[in-house]
């Protein structure tokens, strides 16, 4: 029993040390990483809001246009940036060559946790700016909004672990992934809610769990929209499946020797 507890304690120490090291590398001493991410998000939200406005969609079902777009962008960016960040884990393994107790999975988890925490903070700072500026009302249920962002981040974390294992063997998948993410962004509810999709296409569109998360996100943020077509249970089943596949892929791709 004591051996098991000591092993768990050592593993937690390794994971916390890796997470701290990744946070320093990600954010920098002057928080350059934070400002860079905030700038990217601001530009994306501004451009997509203008596009939605001039395409005639305007404000949908009483939801203000800027936070409407921001909720979709932040939800998808959480997933996308975490997936890309974690999928490059093998490129960072050399930094840990002198730490034989550190595995690739430790590094991936550390990188994922750093990005998820960063984007939750950036999201609520963005929402706070909207509320202060008067372009958004108060968040209806902030705890639920945070939880949905974290779920999206874990999609990215587990997806990143899978692609990190695949990239080690099939490097041509990197540009394919970039194209796939662009298509996914257009079909994940960043710019629309499910009732705007033609009913004949619902059967295809609702396969995408990010679409469900985005619709629920609008419900929990605004409080005056009802995500009648979205299914949180379906989204969680996807999360469990991704977690299982990530562990299988990581174990299959793990080298016999230590990291490095």
């Amino acid at each position: 029993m004591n051996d098991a507890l000591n092993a768990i304690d050592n593993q937690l120490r390794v994971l916390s040390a890796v997470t701290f090291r990744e946070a320093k590398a990600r954010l920098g001493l002057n928080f350059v990483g934070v400002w860079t991410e905030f700038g990217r998000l601001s530009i994306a939200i501004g451009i997509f809001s203008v596009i939605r406005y001039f395409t005639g969609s305007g404000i949908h079902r009483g939801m203000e246009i800027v936070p409407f777009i921001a909720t979709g962008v932040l939800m998808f960016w959480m997933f996308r940036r975490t997936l890309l960040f974690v999928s490059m884990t093998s490129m960072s393994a050399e930094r840990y060559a002198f730490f034989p107790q550190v595995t690739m999975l430790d590094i991936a988890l550390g990188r994922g946790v750093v990005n998820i925490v960063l984007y939750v903070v950036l999201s609520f700072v963005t929402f706070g700016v909207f509320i202060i500026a008067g372009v958004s009302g108060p968040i209806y249920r902030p705890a639920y909004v945070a939880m949905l962002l974290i779920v999206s981040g874990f999609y990215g974390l587990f997806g990143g672990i899978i692609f990190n294992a695949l990239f080690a063997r099939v490097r041509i998948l990197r540009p394919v992934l970039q194209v796939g993410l662009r298509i996914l962004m257009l079909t994940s509810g960043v710019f629309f809610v499910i009732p705007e999709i033609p009913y004949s296409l619902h059967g295809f569109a609702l396969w995408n769990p990010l679409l469900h998360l985005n619709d629920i996100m609008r419900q929990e943020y605004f409080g005056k929209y009802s995500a009648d077509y979205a299914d949180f249970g379906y989204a969680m089943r996807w999360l469990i499946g991704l977690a299982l596949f990530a562990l299988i892929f990581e174990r299959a791709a793990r080298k016999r020797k230590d990291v490095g």
Side-chain angles (χ1 to χ4, degrees), residues 17 85 103 214 225:
F85 198 46
T103 67
N214 262 324
Y225 171 73

Side-chain angles (χ1 to χ4, degrees), residues 79 83 105 150-163 184 208-210 213 234-250:
F79 161 75
L83 187 150
L105 183 59
I150 291 170
V151 170
S152 180
F154 275 109
Y155 275 16
L157 169 59
F158 297 130
I161 292 173
I162 293 171
F163 277 103
L184 194 61
N208 184 351
L210 289 170
L213 288 181
Y234 173 78
M236 292 305 295
R237 289 193 293 275
W238 261 88
L239 181 62
I240 294 170
L242 279 173
L244 291 175
F245 273 101
L247 293 175
I248 293 170
F249 271 73
E250 192 279 333

Side-chain angles (χ1 to χ4, degrees), residues 7-240:
I8 293 172
D9 182 62
N10 288 336
Q11 185 60 46
L12 291 175
R13 287 175 182 273
V14 169
L15 187 56
S16 62
V18 171
T19 302
F20 179 73
R21 188 181 178 95
E22 288 296 325
K24 287 182 65 177
R26 181 83 162 89
L27 305 178
L29 295 177
N30 297 318
F31 296 98
V32 174
V34 176
W35 291 112
T36 301
E37 294 295 341
F38 191 76
R40 287 174 178 167
L41 285 170
S42 300
I43 293 171
I45 292 169
I47 291 173
F48 295 149
S49 296
V50 170
I51 291 173
R52 175 151 178 115
Y53 180 80
F54 282 105
T55 54
S57 299
I59 299 172
H60 184 77
R61 298 172 184 257
M63 294 181 278
E64 299 87 352
I65 188 169
V66 175
F68 175 85
I69 292 295
T71 49
V73 168
L74 289 164
M75 175 70 76
F76 188 79
W77 250 243
M78 168 72 90
F79 161 75
R80 177 179 177 274
R81 293 294 292 168
T82 305
L83 187 150
L84 291 175
F85 198 46
V86 174
S87 70
M88 296 186 292
T89 297
S90 58
M91 297 181 180
S92 303
E94 292 183 2
R95 296 205 300 260
Y96 298 91
F98 296 103
F99 305 98
Q101 69 273 35
V102 177
T103 67
M104 196 72 74
L105 183 59
D106 294 324
I107 304 172
L109 291 174
R111 291 167 74 86
V113 167
V114 168
N115 206 70
I116 290 169
V117 171
L118 171 62
Y119 264 81
V120 169
V121 172
L122 286 176
S123 296
F124 277 88
V125 168
T126 303
F127 297 148
V129 170
F130 291 160
I131 294 169
I132 293 171
V135 298
S136 171
I139 302 174
Y140 177 57
R141 293 202 283 195
Y144 283 80
V145 169
M147 179 267 293
L148 291 165
L149 287 167
I150 291 170
V151 170
S152 180
F154 275 109
Y155 275 16
L157 169 59
F158 297 130
I161 292 173
I162 293 171
F163 277 103
N164 182 62
L166 291 174
F167 289 160
R169 288 168 169 76
V170 190
R171 296 185 181 276
I172 197 173
L173 281 177
R174 289 189 184 277
V176 174
L177 175 61
Q178 293 288 352
V179 174
L181 286 173
R182 287 184 174 88
I183 296 172
L184 194 61
M185 183 179 69
L186 296 175
T187 58
S188 295
V190 174
F191 315 102
F192 57 86
V193 287
I194 294 175
E196 292 180 337
I197 303 171
Y199 190 76
S200 59
L201 298 178
H202 276 199
F204 299 100
L206 292 177
W207 276 94
N208 184 351
L210 289 170
L211 180 60
H212 292 257
L213 288 181
N214 262 324
D215 228 50
I216 299 171
M217 178 77 149
R218 269 70 182 252
Q219 173 181 281
E220 303 304 331
Y221 185 95
F222 293 99
K224 47 194 170 186
Y225 171 73
S226 180
D228 296 326
Y229 293 97
D231 184 350
F232 184 68
Y234 173 78
M236 292 305 295
R237 289 193 293 275
W238 261 88
L239 181 62
I240 294 170

